[in-house]
């Protein structure tokens, strides 16, 4: 079995897992990074969203061998960064968090959007979050949270 | 546990593929769903895989001899966002899944999976796309239309990989796309219709209409397209019902969890009617 090298939340790792082990399981079970959740396990709900090279992806669909040489960011690492703090605070201030299950995925999807487009319209925000299901908020407060993060974070993205 | 190959180059990927029979693995968004087990447990892959999604040499869009050539492992996001991409393909990809999946999924994956409901495939067939296949024996180019022969079945040889998608640029062409699904994001198609045509002096000079998820493969009715080509637009408007009926009779949809055959027949016919209206300025 070949070794897999990647960077997760700024730390370099070398793994020797079976290559098809899901990135989500490596994060949650081996590294105890439990922000990414398993909702549906098939790419429908977005609860397992993480950043791979600054783009949002579903970690339940990625074999760990496919992140060779990549930079992975989960909410645990992202919230330590200025961009992460900005989104987390904006979500909190907007009432975008209720039960919290979808929140880590929502934050990562929002981050991916803002890295690409620092000043998104409401439609662009809703499109960016379209792969993330929330059963509590009705989404409006989350959309407001992303909007607030865009405004407060000017120059940051 | 299976062997998972992470080649550094296309050449290495072709070697792995031909020497081990490993199955090509692009974004994984179909394979990882089909063979998932439970949290913490390895996916139950039935064969070794060769990872391809990371191969930079298969990620590009460039113009060559009047065609847009797209590296087969370019992500759906990158294809959709590129200025050279035809509007029809942009539209189809924009309604596929959601951003996180489009960041993983690739055209090679959508084509190789060979689902009759593959939305990018439907658009690409309406655009008359071809694909390049490579193996240690050499390269060949085949029409995408001929590559997929049934649900999940293609003519990809045991040692081949899809390396490029070739889309002829239709100057002045008009396109139309509609997908019917249960919601905008993350819905698999009940059916989809892609159309590409050109008009000169009120005469239809060229038309291609592809219907997705209404037959074992994405369907084009070349006999109907041939009959329409050369017709004046008012003539097409007059034959609207007849043309809709011919399409309705040509498709062979099935009942499945997403929709019924009867619904698909009616909706496909209605969408063809909408294409004709757009074409002729009717209704």
């Amino acid at each position: 079995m070949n070794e897999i090298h990647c960077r997760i939340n700024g730390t370099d790792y070398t793994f020797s897992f079976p290559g098809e082990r899901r990135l989500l399981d490596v994060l949650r079970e081996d590294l105890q990074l439990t922000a990414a959740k398993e909702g549906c396990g098939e790419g429908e709900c977005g609860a397992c969203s993480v950043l791979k090279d600054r783009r949002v992806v579903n970690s339940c669909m990625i074999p760990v061998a496919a992140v060779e040489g990549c930079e992975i960011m989960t909410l645990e690492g992202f919230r330590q960064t200025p961009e992460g703090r900005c989104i987390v605070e904006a979500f909190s201030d907007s009432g975008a968090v209720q039960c919290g299950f979808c929140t880590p995925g929502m934050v990562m999807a929002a981050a991916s959007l803002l890295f690409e487009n620092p000043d998104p319209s409401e439609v662009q925000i809703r499109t960016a979050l379209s792969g993330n299901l929330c059963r509590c908020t009705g989404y409006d407060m989350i959309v407001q949270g992303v909007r607030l993060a865009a405004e407060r974070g000017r120059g940051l993205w | 546990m299976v062997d998972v190959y992470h080649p550094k180059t296309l050449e290495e990927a072709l070697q792995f593929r031909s020497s081990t029979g490993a199955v090509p693995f692009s974004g994984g968004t179909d394979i990882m769903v089909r063979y998932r087990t439970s949290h913490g447990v390895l996916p139950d892959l039935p064969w070794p895989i060769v990872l391809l999604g990371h191969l930079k040499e298969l990620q590009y869009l460039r113009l060559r001899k009047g065609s847009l050539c797209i590296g087969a492992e370019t992500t759906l996001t990158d294809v959709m966002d590129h200025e050279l991409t035809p509007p029809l393909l942009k539209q189809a990809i924009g309604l596929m899944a959601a951003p996180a999946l489009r960041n993983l999924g690739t055209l090679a994956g959508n084509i190789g999976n060979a689902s009759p409901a593959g939305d990018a495939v439907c658009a690409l067939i309406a655009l008359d796309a071809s694909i390049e296949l490579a193996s240690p024996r050499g390269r060949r180019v085949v029409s995408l239309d001929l590559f997929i022969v049934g649900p999940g079945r293609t003519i990809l040889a045991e040692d081949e990989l899809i390396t490029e998608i070739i889309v002829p640029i239709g100057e002045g062409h008009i396109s139309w796309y509609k997908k019917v699904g249960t919601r905008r994001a993350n819905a698999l198609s009940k059916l989809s219709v892609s159309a590409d045509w050109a008009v000169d002096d009120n005469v239809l000079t060229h038309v291609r209409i592809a219907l997705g998820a209404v037959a074992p493969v994405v369907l084009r009715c070349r006999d109907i397209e041939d009959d329409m080509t050369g017709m004046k637009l008012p003539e097409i408007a007059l034959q609207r019902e007849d043309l809709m009926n011919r399409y309705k009779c040509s498709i062979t949809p099935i009942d499945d969890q997403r929709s019924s055959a009867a619904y698909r027949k009616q909706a496909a016919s209605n969408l063809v009617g909408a294409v004709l209206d757009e074409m002729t300025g009717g209704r």
Side-chain angles (χ1 to χ4, degrees):
Chain A
M1 191 183 323
N2 291 331
E3 288 185 335
I4 301 151
H5 310 87
C6 64
R7 179 171 290 181
I8 299 175
N9 295 336
T11 305
D12 289 325
Y13 288 90
T14 302
F15 299 126
S16 52
F17 297 123
E20 74 269 38
R21 185 165 169 80
R22 301 181 310 171
L23 175 61
L24 177 64
D25 293 327
V26 170
L27 296 173
R28 290 183 58 83
E29 312 232 337
D30 301 307
L31 304 182
Q32 279 77 53
L33 295 170
T34 54
K37 308 283 188 282
E38 178 153 13
C40 67
E42 51 189 44
E44 299 274 347
C45 76
C48 67
S49 299
V50 301
L51 297 182
K52 173 171 169 268
D53 296 333
R54 284 164 71 96
R55 279 185 170 186
V56 65
V57 292
N58 304 97
S59 64
C60 74
M61 312 192 87
I62 302 182
V64 66
V67 302
E68 167 69 37
C70 293
E71 180 148 9
I72 302 297
M73 184 76 90
T74 72
L75 183 67
E76 287 93 341
F78 184 58
R79 66 179 308 161
Q80 312 289 334
T81 67
E83 294 91 341
R85 273 194 293 275
C86 173
I87 296 183
V88 168
E89 280 164 21
F91 268 45
S92 170
D93 293 347
S94 304
V97 181
Q98 287 189 29
C99 90
F101 190 87
C102 75
T103 309
M106 288 286 179
V107 171
M108 304 324 280
S112 184
L113 167 70
L114 293 172
F115 283 140
E116 282 278 316
N117 176 0
D119 187 23
S121 67
E122 180 176 339
V123 171
Q124 287 168 330
I125 294 172
R126 287 187 183 272
T127 303
L129 302 180
S130 63
N132 296 70
L133 298 182
C134 170
R135 302 291 79 169
C136 302
T137 62
Y139 300 100
D140 281 352
M141 284 96 90
I142 300 177
V143 172
Q144 286 161 20
V146 179
R147 192 59 240 158
L148 187 62
E151 281 160 20
R152 283 187 188 164
R154 272 186 215 294
L156 197 58
W157 305 103
Chain B
M1 197 179 131
V2 296
D3 284 328
V4 176
Y5 301 100
H6 187 278
K8 291 193 176 58
T9 60
L10 171 61
E11 200 188 333
E12 235 181 77
L14 289 170
Q15 273 169 16
F16 283 137
R17 167 100 167 124
S18 59
S19 60
T20 65
V23 166
F25 186 108
S26 296
T29 58
D30 287 305
I31 290 177
M32 292 297 276
V33 174
R34 196 169 313 137
Y35 299 105
R36 69 182 280 248
T37 53
S38 183
H39 51 262
V41 183
L42 292 183
D44 194 16
L45 300 180
W47 9 250
I49 53 176
V50 54
L51 301 175
L52 302 168
H54 60 286
L55 290 177
K56 293 277 180 264
E57 63 188 297
L58 295 180
Q59 295 171 357
Y60 56 84
L61 288 97
R62 63 175 81 111
L63 290 172
R64 195 173 65 216
K65 293 184 204 157
S67 290
L68 171 63
C69 300
I70 308 174
E73 298 300 328
T74 313
T75 64
L76 296 173
T77 300
D78 287 338
V79 176
M80 181 174 81
D81 290 346
H82 203 281
E83 54 179 12
L84 292 174
T85 302
L88 181 60
L89 187 55
K90 282 186 183 235
Q91 260 178 296
I93 295 175
L95 291 174
M96 287 171 79
L101 285 173
R102 294 196 291 265
N103 285 338
L104 292 172
T106 68
L107 287 182
N110 202 233
I111 292 168
N113 192 47
S115 161
D119 292 325
V121 172
C122 181
L124 286 168
I125 285 182
L127 293 167
D128 222 12
S130 311
I131 57 176
E132 184 195 65
L133 309 173
S135 75
R137 295 171 288 124
R139 291 174 187 246
R140 59 173 174 149
V141 174
V142 296
S143 164
L144 177 55
D145 205 9
L146 301 176
F147 177 74
I148 299 174
V149 292
R153 291 193 302 123
T154 71
I155 59 166
L156 188 74
E158 292 282 308
D159 60 351
E160 278 180 321
L161 293 172
I162 303 171
T163 46
E164 190 174 83
I165 291 86
I166 304 151
V167 187
I169 301 284
E171 290 294 340
H173 284 200
I174 303 160
S175 65
W176 191 94
Y177 180 76
K178 177 81 179 172
K179 164 176 172 167
V180 182
T182 43
R183 56 190 284 257
R184 265 183 92 83
N186 270 352
L188 297 176
S189 282
K190 292 174 192 284
L191 72 152
S192 62
V193 174
S194 305
D196 177 273
W197 70 88
V199 173
D200 184 29
D201 197 20
N202 225 22
V203 171
L204 188 68
T205 55
H206 150 94
V207 61
R208 289 187 293 254
I209 300 176
L211 293 90
V214 296
V217 295
V218 171
L219 192 75
R220 269 180 68 189
C221 302
R222 288 171 198 271
D223 52 335
I224 310 179
E225 292 176 3
D226 288 347
D227 290 349
M228 286 168 71
T229 306
M231 277 168 71
K232 284 192 181 309
L233 295 182
E235 222 178 318
I236 291 172
L238 279 176
Q239 292 194 24
R240 180 180 187 274
E241 303 300 317
D242 180 44
L243 290 165
M244 284 168 62
N245 252 325
R246 285 178 70 186
Y247 271 98
K248 199 173 182 175
C249 296
S250 304
I251 63 176
T252 52
I254 54 166
D255 290 315
D256 65 12
Q257 75 273 26
R258 289 202 292 281
S259 190
S260 67
Y263 175 86
R264 285 183 161 121
K265 270 211 170 224
Q266 189 60 52
S269 159
N270 293 351
L271 291 181
V272 168
V275 171
L276 299 176
D277 292 341
E278 183 73 24
M279 200 180 272
T280 60
R283 307 255 156 156

